[in-house]
Amino acid sequence: MNIRYASARAIFLSTALAAVPAMAEEAGGQAGSDGAAQAGNQIVVTAQKIEQRAQDVPITISALRGDRIEELGVGDLDELSNYIPGLNVQEQSANNPGIVIRGVTSDSGSAQQGPRVTLYYNGVDISRSRGSYQSIYDLDRVEVIKGPQATLFGTASAVGAISIVPARPEPGLSAELTGGYGNYDYTLLTGYLNAGSDQVAGRIAFEWKRRDGYVENLSASQEDELYALDNLGLRGSLRVRPRPDFTIDLVGTFDRQRNGGTPFISGNFPTEAGPADPFGPANLGGSPFSREVLGKDQLGLDREIYDLNLTAEYRFADDWAFTTVNGYREFDSLETFDADGSAAWFLEFAEIAEGWQFSHEGRFSYSGMDLRGSFGWNVFTEDGRQNVPFSSEEGIFLQCAAGVVPDIACVGPDGTVPAEQVTGLLTGGQVARLPYQSVFENQGQNDSYSVFADATWIATRALELTAGVRLLWEDRESGYFAEVAPSVLTGGPSLIPGQTDTNGRTFTAREDFFDVLPRFNALYRASPDLNFYATVSKGRRSAVVQLGATRDENGIAVPNYQLVPEEVVWNYELGAKLSRGPVSASLGAYYLDYSGFQVSVIQDDGTTRTESAGSASNLGIEAELAVQAAPWLSLFANGAYIDAKVDEDSALADAYSGARFRLQPKWQAAAGFTVDAPIGEGMRFFATPSVTHRSRIYFELPNNPVTSQGSVTLLNARAGIAFAEDRFEIAGFIRNATDEDYLLDAGNTGGAFGYPTFIPAEPRFYGIELTARLF
């Protein structure tokens, strides 16, 4: 631990002292708060490492300013995804967000597996699932760049990238404080304080948000309702400009969750409230193992994130700049959950996830009359583990898992097993209640080194041609160990078939990889208002050095090693972007061709394993429209069509042939309008009602209608009045106004044992917020 911190400090100090400063523009695309300025009705972005109107970027990009996110009443990334075509974020837990771009998800918690979607915060890749959730408050903007972007964003962006850009310190004094209250005892307190000059400026921002759970838990042992929230985010930013051509940004972030348990509601087992109902109360009690060994007597998540970023820019010539982006991030979480969805001590799991990462990038940028581009290097290292304790009572487990009496429910509403149903499990006339415990842990030490170059030739005033490439070297090392207790009742080496104790040893395996990741783009300006573009790019998801344990012919534990080949995708894309007067619009069509498509499959012991489903393809269309109909009225609409599935003729994919990708709606759309009108006396009225729609999604591969959710349409709105020249504001919000019942997830760990569980999505939420500002 000390060595890690010392190394990180050394690189941070050497970067600063070397006076090779840096751009406020992050590696994922950021140029400080001024980078989000408006050009007409087009937001200015830096997805290609320079400031450009979104219309002039020859890739499909959706960007929302921080104030627009506030207008929509959005408080989390999953809510934001409803308004961005081709993006879907499933937040089953802050510890397990599923981020889906163009139908392809990235949500594996295994330390041995790489992500598909790059999530950037302050210009640094934070894509590791258990450490990626980030509260979105006091933002400059969010950019969603679709399609493989390895050249610009790194190897994890196999299907796209999301760049979260916080607001930067500015000269002058300003502040904002917002307090809110709503149903389910929702409480919000958020704001910022900014002060400084052109040379030195600082900003402190925070968000505290809590809410009671919206799923009742009937268990007497659990005090908190399920899906209760208690989130705290703190961020401190310092900007130093000793000279106009030299900028240094230092940002520290702390995120903390103390959230209630995930409502895994059984589709099989009744509760005292009645038959199994995904939208009814649950009866989840956890296990003595969690209380006695883990020291956590309540279901839920305890998680902490520490993040430090140093970004600097030095413009050493008229057309040249050097940027360095450096980041250290550490996460530590403990989550306990009741995976069977019943009151019985049947499938009780926990997850201890820990990890740290360090990233350093250096980049030279050039912008001339006929040529612009960048080249540089990146070093990224991460070390993490996912430890999964499992506990059960043997009698209940065998009754349910082995199906002693298959036609009768194995667990009663109160979690007991009636004696007449378990004659074979009686000990002295009593139902056997023997505790069982096991622990599995996967580990990952991943190091990557890359060099990249990207250049755009302005061939004529109407035509721009871009070519880029990233050369990547990877070193991936995996570790695995397990502590598996023998079964008392069966006499076997394990209660669950396939579990293997490693006898205190940690098995390891290591592989090296190299790849070349290119991109090619063309932009044609048919007129000052209309651009066409074409893209060909290659994406890659890292190979998986997958490690487990098995027994040889002598019953000795040996490593079970499998190298799952890398997943490669080629992206072909055509599009058009229009900005004419009050209208801006974009239309894009793409085709993604996958080889070695990786899927996560839940095993019989509740853990997941990566498999190759062979070839896959993805055809889609995305469109966005914004109209400034009047000075006080703006309209918006967007939509996406995605036909993504495993190829039917794939020789490797018998079980997945023709299956739709998980968490992928075929149709997605959003529409609404914003009224922002003065009403006199220094007052104005504002309102943004909106509607979002998503067609059926499947939660698992292979597809199963039981574990799917049909189409969902949600109505949301935020409206209020600002007065005293915008110094004060009162606003009301409502989400899911019609109180639609729909599922957030289904199947889950319990499904691997034949008892799928269901997680209900958010019901109707509403509340009021008061804001005070100092300009």
Side-chain angles (χ1 to χ4, degrees), residues 270-387:
T271 68
E272 293 94 325
D277 179 4
F279 302 103
N283 193 339
L284 309 180
S287 74
F289 177 79
S290 297
R291 293 187 286 273
E292 297 169 7
V293 179
L294 301 177
K296 183 175 172 61
D297 60 358
Q298 298 290 304
L299 298 172
L301 171 66
D302 294 347
R303 177 178 178 268
E304 294 181 350
I305 297 284
Y306 302 88
D307 188 284
L308 184 63
N309 177 274
L310 175 66
T311 301
E313 173 200 39
Y314 178 39
R315 296 188 177 275
F316 57 89
D318 289 342
D319 299 327
W320 285 91
F322 178 75
T323 303
T324 180
V325 184
N326 308 273
Y328 178 82
R329 189 175 182 89
E330 184 171 314
F331 64 90
D332 186 349
S333 67
L334 167 60
E335 185 166 19
T336 57
F337 52 96
D338 190 333
D340 56 82
S342 80
W345 183 17
F346 173 23
L347 302 174
E348 312 303 317
F349 284 88
E351 179 185 293
I352 303 167
E354 299 175 338
W356 64 270
Q357 66 172 62
F358 178 75
S359 175
H360 163 71
E361 179 166 306
R363 180 177 71 249
F364 289 92
S365 301
Y366 173 79
S367 182
M369 291 292 294
D370 300 323
L371 183 69
R372 64 174 181 266
S374 62
F375 62 90
W377 62 89
N378 182 272
V379 177
F380 181 86
T381 182
E382 65 173 351
D383 192 352
R385 72 182 184 112
Q386 182 191 31
N387 182 284

Side-chain angles (χ1 to χ4, degrees), residues 355-645:
W356 64 270
Q357 66 172 62
F358 178 75
S359 175
H360 163 71
E361 179 166 306
R363 180 177 71 249
F364 289 92
S365 301
Y366 173 79
S367 182
M369 291 292 294
D370 300 323
L371 183 69
R372 64 174 181 266
S374 62
F375 62 90
W377 62 89
N378 182 272
V379 177
F380 181 86
T381 182
E382 65 173 351
D383 192 352
R385 72 182 184 112
Q386 182 191 31
N387 182 284
V388 183
F390 163 71
S391 60
S392 182
E393 287 185 348
E394 285 207 24
I396 293 176
F397 181 91
L398 291 174
Q399 168 66 16
C400 293
V404 174
V405 186
D407 295 329
I408 302 177
C410 59
V411 175
D414 60 356
T416 62
V417 180
E420 64 270 16
Q421 297 183 23
V422 288
T423 305
L425 301 177
L426 295 180
T427 302
Q430 299 295 320
V431 177
R433 300 182 68 82
L434 301 173
Y436 179 85
Q437 301 170 4
S438 63
V439 176
F440 306 89
E441 179 171 300
N442 63 74
Q443 306 164 356
Q445 167 70 53
N446 306 314
D447 302 308
S448 68
Y449 313 89
S450 62
V451 293
F452 57 88
D454 195 78
T456 297
W457 175 41
I458 297 91
T460 69
R461 298 183 65 177
L463 180 64
E464 294 182 5
L465 301 175
T466 300
V469 67
R470 183 179 292 262
L471 306 181
L472 173 73
W473 293 265
E474 271 192 316
D475 183 352
R476 305 186 70 86
E477 181 175 333
S478 295
Y480 177 84
F481 82 85
E483 297 175 354
V484 179
S487 170
V488 175
L489 289 176
T490 68
S494 171
L495 183 61
I496 301 177
Q499 287 185 332
T500 301
D501 192 286
T502 61
N503 298 318
R505 294 175 294 167
T506 297
F507 298 139
T508 61
R510 179 177 174 273
E511 295 284 353
D512 297 325
F513 306 96
F514 172 76
D515 211 338
V516 179
L517 302 169
R519 77 156 180 154
F520 306 95
N521 299 82
L523 178 72
Y524 177 70
R525 293 185 173 88
S527 73
D529 302 325
L530 179 62
N531 293 345
F532 294 95
Y533 66 91
T535 296
V536 177
S537 57
K538 179 185 178 183
R540 171 188 183 273
R541 189 186 200 187
S542 299
V544 183
V545 181
Q546 190 161 245
L547 199 61
T550 188
R551 297 185 182 277
D552 63 15
E553 62 275 8
N554 299 316
I556 305 299
V558 295
N560 180 12
Y561 169 72
Q562 178 190 13
L563 178 62
V564 182
E566 66 179 9
E567 175 184 291
V568 175
V569 56
W570 280 95
N571 174 57
Y572 308 93
E573 191 165 346
L574 294 172
K577 299 182 180 183
L578 172 71
S579 180
R580 178 173 296 167
V583 178
S584 67
S586 65
L587 176 66
Y590 62 88
Y591 178 74
L592 297 171
D593 186 16
Y594 289 89
S595 60
F597 187 74
Q598 296 175 4
V599 296
S600 296
V601 180
I602 299 179
Q603 305 298 297
D604 291 340
D605 59 5
T607 62
T608 60
R609 189 170 180 85
T610 303
E611 296 181 3
S612 178
S615 61
S617 59
N618 188 344
L619 175 67
I621 299 173
E622 295 168 349
E624 295 186 80
L625 174 66
V627 180
Q628 191 69 46
W632 53 271
L633 176 64
S634 61
L635 314 173
F636 74 92
N638 62 60
Y641 166 80
I642 306 174
D643 185 16
K645 59 187 178 182

Side-chain angles (χ1 to χ4, degrees), residues 202-278:
R203 191 180 189 100
I204 298 174
F206 72 96
E207 180 186 73
W208 176 63
K209 181 166 54 179
R210 70 161 305 279
R211 186 196 69 211
D212 290 343
Y214 59 80
V215 177
E216 180 186 0
N217 192 356
L218 300 175
S219 173
S221 68
Q222 298 294 304
E223 299 175 2
D224 298 329
E225 292 176 319
L226 301 170
Y227 260 0
L229 292 181
D230 187 352
N231 295 344
L232 174 65
L234 300 171
R235 181 168 62 242
S237 307
L238 177 67
R239 169 166 283 187
V240 180
R241 277 180 171 158
R243 301 166 31 175
D245 56 5
F246 183 13
T247 303
I248 299 174
D249 281 300
L250 181 64
V251 183
T253 303
F254 171 74
D255 247 48
R256 187 213 70 190
Q257 286 79 39
R258 296 290 185 268
N259 295 345
T262 301
F264 291 111
I265 301 177
S266 176
N268 300 82
F269 304 130
T271 68
E272 293 94 325
D277 179 4

Side-chain angles (χ1 to χ4, degrees), residues 706-720:
V706 174
T707 53
S708 71
Q709 170 61 54
S711 61
V712 175
T713 300
L714 301 179
L715 299 177
N716 310 299
R718 184 177 185 270

Side-chain angles (χ1 to χ4, degrees), residues 20-32:
V20 187
M23 259 170 150
E25 168 189 313
E26 275 92 9
Q30 167 177 342

